[in-house]
């Protein structure tokens, strides 16, 4: 699971509606896997991210290279796009768990696959 | 010609647990290939496939869009399928993230109105409703009454997921009453039409293409 996917996942336990994003990463194994740098893609996707959640998650994983806000010149700022690329697309969470900050529900991550399934009574 | 994804890393044992690409899969690939110019011109940033099985469709779409890059993400309730999808992407040089979940659970509201290409080859076979529950290979085909139960459960999400410019490709068979599905989507405010159809044995398979009305 790349961090871009983590940025898209939200707790969906029944009646858990507030403060349920982003899911907190715990006991994770992270792997850095090189990927082709594609500035155009990054320029398009950056607006679809929940930026503060993304920055906080990167910091949880020890990556402090991202700025607190998206720079005004993001589209032409190659240095920014490179740190974004590395955090968003090259950082893979292979094992661990995601914990809802509100209801503490645990979603496991195994072999790079997050499991968002809930038991019948939790839906 | 866009190459059919290399699935040589999967064997007959894998296909006991996951759906093996068949005529329906290839019809969906053909619909994407038929629209390749339109899809490239769309510059999609997020492509989502529901119930990706072997990962054949999303891998093909990723190859079609090359050298452009899109965020390819899939879901499947079957853990074997989730693993296979990731492996098929890797084998063919396409980065895919897979979420083990039912349809889109956990992906909304974050993915609201952000999917540029949505693909779904649903469980469309007419079966008793009781066969729909589960997470094994049977959920890749069991569709309940008219083969429509999972399809009908998915349709309300299309409005939630599709971006302004988004395109949804849905595979159906004649048992699913496709004209009725098209009408339901049109009533929901979409442009929907059958863009490709083919006979596979006795079964007529078709692709419904859906866009937002502009």
């Amino acid at each position: 699971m790349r961090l871009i996917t983590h940025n898209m996942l939200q707790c969906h336990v029944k009646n858990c509606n507030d403060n349920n994003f982003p899911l907190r990463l715990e006991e994770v194994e992270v792997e850095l896997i090189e990927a082709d740098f594609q500035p155009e893609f990054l320029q398009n996707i950056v607006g679809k991210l929940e930026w503060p959640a993304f920055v906080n998650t990167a910091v949880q994983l020890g990556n402090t290279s991202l700025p607190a806000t998206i720079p005004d010149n993001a589209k032409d700022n190659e240095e920014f796009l490179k740190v974004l690329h590395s955090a968003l697309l090259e950082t893979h969470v292979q094992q661990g768990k995601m914990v809802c900050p509100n209801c503490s529900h645990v979603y496991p991550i195994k072999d790079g696959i997050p499991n968002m399934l809930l038991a019948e009574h939790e839906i | 010609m866009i190459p059919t994804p290399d699935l040589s890393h999967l064997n007959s044992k894998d296909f006991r647990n996951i759906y093996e690409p068949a005529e329906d899969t290839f019809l969906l690939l053909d619909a994407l290939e038929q629209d390749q110019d339109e899809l490239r011109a769309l510059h999609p940033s997020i492509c989502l496939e529901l119930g990706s099985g072997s990962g054949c469709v999303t891998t093909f779409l990723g190859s079609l869009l090359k050298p452009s890059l899109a965020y390819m993400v899939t879901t499947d309730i079957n853990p074997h399928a989730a693993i296979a999808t990731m492996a098929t992407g890797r084998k063919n040089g396409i980065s895919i993230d897979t979420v083990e979940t039912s349809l889109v659970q956990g992906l909304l509201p974050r993915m609201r109105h952000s999917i540029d290409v949505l693909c779904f080859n649903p469980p469309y076979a007419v079966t008793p409703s009781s066969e729909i529950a589960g997470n094994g290979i049977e959920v890749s085909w069991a569709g309940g009454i008219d083969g429509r139960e999972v399809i009908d459960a998915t349709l309300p999400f299309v409005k939630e997921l599709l971006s302004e410019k988004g395109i949804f490709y849905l595979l159906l068979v004649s048992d699913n009453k496709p004209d009725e599905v098209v009408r339901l989507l049109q009533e929901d405010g979409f442009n929907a039409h059958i863009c490709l159809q083919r006979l596979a044995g006795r079964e007529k398979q078709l692709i419904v293409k859906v866009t937002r009305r502009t």
Side-chain angles (χ1 to χ4, degrees):
Chain A
M1 177 184 75
R2 293 171 289 177
L3 290 195
I4 188 170
T5 296
H6 174 266
N7 199 260
M8 300 292 162
L9 299 178
Q10 184 159 335
C11 183
H12 61 110
V13 168
K14 193 178 178 185
N15 297 328
C16 178
N17 301 318
D18 294 314
N19 186 31
N20 57 354
F21 174 87
L23 301 170
R24 194 169 63 241
L25 290 171
E26 287 187 5
E27 297 167 33
V28 293
E29 274 175 39
V30 174
E31 197 176 335
L32 295 175
I33 302 172
E34 215 173 293
D36 289 340
F37 177 61
Q38 292 237 7
E40 274 178 33
F41 169 72
L42 295 164
Q43 289 157 0
N44 288 332
I45 205 78
V46 71
K48 298 196 175 184
L49 299 174
E50 281 289 336
W51 188 259
F54 175 53
V55 173
N56 284 343
T57 303
V59 169
Q60 277 176 40
L61 301 180
N63 179 343
T64 54
S65 62
L66 295 165
T69 53
I70 300 169
D72 292 336
N73 65 346
K75 289 191 191 283
D76 315 304
N77 184 336
E78 183 160 312
E79 194 187 344
F80 165 71
L81 292 176
K82 285 205 158 140
V83 294
L84 172 63
H85 170 74
S86 172
L88 192 67
L89 302 179
E90 296 189 317
T91 307
H92 293 248
V93 181
Q94 302 293 30
Q95 316 289 339
K97 51 189 186 183
M98 298 181 293
V99 184
C100 175
N102 181 43
C103 75
S104 300
H105 186 85
V106 174
Y107 297 94
I109 306 161
K110 197 176 159 227
D111 300 326
I113 300 169
N115 184 340
M116 298 302 289
L117 287 170
L118 297 175
E120 201 70 39
H121 68 277
E122 295 166 323
I123 300 169
Chain B
M1 271 299 271
I2 300 132
T4 305
D6 179 358
L7 299 176
S8 60
H9 55 292
L10 300 173
N11 58 38
S12 57
K13 209 173 140 213
D14 294 308
F15 292 126
R16 265 182 244 158
N17 294 314
I18 58 173
Y19 187 73
E20 182 168 5
E23 284 90 342
D24 51 351
T25 318
F26 299 123
L27 187 69
L28 191 43
L29 301 191
D30 289 346
L32 296 171
E33 186 163 33
Q34 174 177 292
D35 284 354
Q36 57 180 300
D37 293 340
E38 183 184 352
L39 287 165
R40 288 198 193 101
L42 194 69
H43 295 292
S45 39
I46 308 186
C47 303
L48 171 65
E49 182 185 4
L50 309 178
S52 56
S54 65
C56 191
V57 172
T58 288
T59 299
F60 183 83
L61 178 59
S63 305
L64 183 153
L65 295 173
K66 267 187 171 180
S68 261
L69 181 73
Y71 167 45
M72 313 300 291
V73 57
T74 70
T75 66
D76 207 297
I77 197 169
N78 172 351
H80 299 285
I83 292 166
T85 294
M86 301 262 288
T88 299
R90 264 198 308 278
K91 177 87 182 174
N92 292 275
I94 304 295
S95 292
I96 302 173
D97 273 13
T98 298
V99 181
E100 190 178 333
T101 195
S102 174
L103 299 174
V104 294
Q105 285 181 9
L107 301 181
L108 285 168
R110 278 290 293 117
M111 286 198 179
R112 188 159 197 270
H113 295 177
S114 61
I115 306 303
D116 297 320
V117 183
L118 177 66
C119 296
F120 191 29
N121 181 358
Y124 55 70
V126 179
T127 64
S129 297
S130 58
E131 285 182 26
I132 294 174
N135 65 353
I137 191 167
E138 69 286 353
V139 300
S140 67
W141 68 73
I145 298 164
D146 291 337
R148 276 275 294 281
E149 293 189 35
V150 180
I151 294 163
D152 286 348
T154 309
L155 292 182
F157 292 119
V158 179
K159 211 183 220 170
E160 286 294 299
L161 292 167
L162 271 197
S163 70
E164 270 312 305
K165 64 178 182 182
I167 309 178
F168 173 36
Y169 294 92
L170 172 67
L171 186 135
L172 297 174
V173 298
S174 33
D175 282 342
N176 303 145
K177 303 180 180 161
D179 292 338
E180 192 178 290
V181 175
V182 166
R183 203 180 63 240
L184 285 171
L185 284 158
Q186 286 169 343
E187 282 169 9
D188 233 358
F190 291 107
N191 289 311
H193 71 278
I194 292 164
C195 68
L196 191 62
Q197 51 187 319
R198 194 177 290 158
L199 275 175
R202 291 173 35 246
E203 185 177 72
K204 186 154 105 186
Q205 303 179 334
L206 44 101
I207 305 292
V208 180
K209 180 177 175 180
V210 183
T211 55
R212 286 192 186 276
R213 211 182 286 281
T214 48

